[in-house]
Amino acid sequence: MKIIILADKYQKGTKSQGCSGLLRFNDSTNILQHQYNILANNFKDAEIIYVYGFDAKKLNTFIENSHFPRMTFVYNNGYDNYNECFSLGVIKQNIDSDTLILSGYTIFNQSFFKNFNRNYSQIFIDPNNGTKLGCIINDNKIENIFYDLDNKIHSMFYISSSDVDTFKRFITIKNHNAFLFEIINKCISKGCKFIPTTVSIKSIKYYKHDNKMKLYDKYQS
């Protein structure tokens, strides 16, 4: 299994705060450390790949003085010129098994992956705490993803082993300016089945620049 954290860009309104990984989760841990600890603990066989770009100098300094034995850091020098598909292209050769892709701003608790099912591709839905992206669901399948649809989703996607080859076919120069959800839509159009997985607001969050990080101080169960 591969886990890819796309942390090379900054959210609108957060540039002055620095890269996502170094934002504080609590007084002793930043988001990068929090993500690594939970992912490494829940997926013993996974290779975790962290794609970074913005604020690289500060992140490199932190990495040099930290310990992430199961995480590979890959620098994307085109982070400011292209979208998520280009970011994935930087590590395309590493996508050779089922793959979980998430944002550098995604925060989850210890129990989120307790019953994680790797048998099918998934999109994670939470009507109370999603991003601006939503999706259309029919017969327990995702039909389309786009902005302002009712079923709000998190910026995290799981591609099963049976769908990963189709997914990789769309990581091309032609699609360098495509967003991740657009690539997922292309996969759906080619017959890949993505199942909606509903998550609790207590289990996963997405950092928002207008909220203080103190919001996450109690978010450690």
Side-chain angles (χ1 to χ4, degrees):
M1 180 182 182
K2 298 297 168 67
I3 299 175
I4 300 170
I5 303 176
L6 297 180
D8 50 344
K9 305 179 188 303
Y10 54 86
Q11 287 183 151
K12 182 179 180 180
T14 66
K15 186 174 183 178
S16 63
Q17 299 178 25
C19 61
S20 59
L22 299 184
L23 293 172
R24 303 309 303 174
F25 172 73
N26 58 28
D27 290 340
S28 61
T29 309
N30 58 35
I31 292 181
L32 168 55
Q33 291 169 314
H34 176 73
Q35 288 179 322
Y36 177 80
N37 290 339
I38 290 182
L39 293 170
N41 183 58
N42 281 275
F43 299 101
K44 304 296 186 182
D45 65 332
E47 176 187 357
I48 307 171
I49 303 171
Y50 196 90
V51 182
Y52 69 104
F54 168 66
D55 211 15
K57 184 178 293 187
K58 289 183 179 179
L59 186 66
N60 278 326
T61 299
F62 176 77
I63 293 169
E64 289 170 2
N65 294 285
S66 303
H67 187 58
F68 300 100
R70 290 182 45 211
M71 182 176 277
T72 301
F73 291 89
V74 179
Y75 177 68
N76 172 18
N77 61 6
Y79 73 91
D80 208 25
N81 299 313
Y82 303 102
N83 285 330
E84 292 166 321
C85 191
F86 181 86
S87 303
L88 290 170
V90 174
I91 45 88
K92 180 179 178 179
Q93 70 278 6
N94 298 97
I95 305 175
D96 54 9
S97 62
D98 61 316
T99 301
L100 179 70
I101 304 173
L102 58 138
S103 163
Y105 290 94
T106 301
I107 302 170
F108 24 67
N109 69 10
Q110 292 288 350
S111 64
F112 178 74
F113 296 105
K114 184 177 181 181
N115 298 310
F116 189 79
N117 191 328
R118 293 168 57 176
N119 292 326
Y120 47 80
S121 297
Q122 299 170 63
I123 291 172
F124 301 89
I125 296 173
D126 183 346
N128 299 307
N129 195 49
T131 64
K132 292 181 179 180
L133 284 174
C135 67
I136 296 172
I137 304 172
N138 191 21
D139 292 333
N140 200 39
K141 294 187 297 184
I142 307 296
E143 290 190 342
N144 187 51
I145 305 169
F146 204 69
Y147 297 104
D148 299 323
L149 295 177
D150 288 339
N151 300 296
K152 298 302 181 184
I153 70 174
H154 287 280
S155 55
M156 182 165 69
F157 303 88
Y158 176 71
I159 299 95
S160 68
S161 296
S162 60
D163 293 330
V164 74
D165 286 341
T166 301
F167 178 75
K168 285 179 67 175
R169 277 168 36 201
F170 294 109
I171 304 175
T172 62
I173 294 174
K174 179 182 177 180
N175 291 324
H176 274 177
N177 274 317
F179 292 104
L180 178 55
F181 80 87
E182 295 177 297
I183 300 303
I184 299 297
N185 279 338
K186 291 178 183 292
C187 291
I188 293 171
S189 72
K190 293 299 182 181
C192 296
K193 182 179 179 180
F194 281 80
I195 301 297
T197 298
T198 301
V199 299
S200 167
I201 192 171
K202 294 181 180 180
S203 65
I204 184 170
K205 292 181 181 291
Y206 188 73
Y207 176 80
K208 297 180 181 178
H209 73 276
D210 55 347
N211 291 337
K212 300 295 185 182
M213 281 307 291
K214 286 293 183 182
L215 171 67
Y216 301 109
D217 283 359
K218 299 178 181 178
Y219 187 66
Q220 301 177 66
S221 59

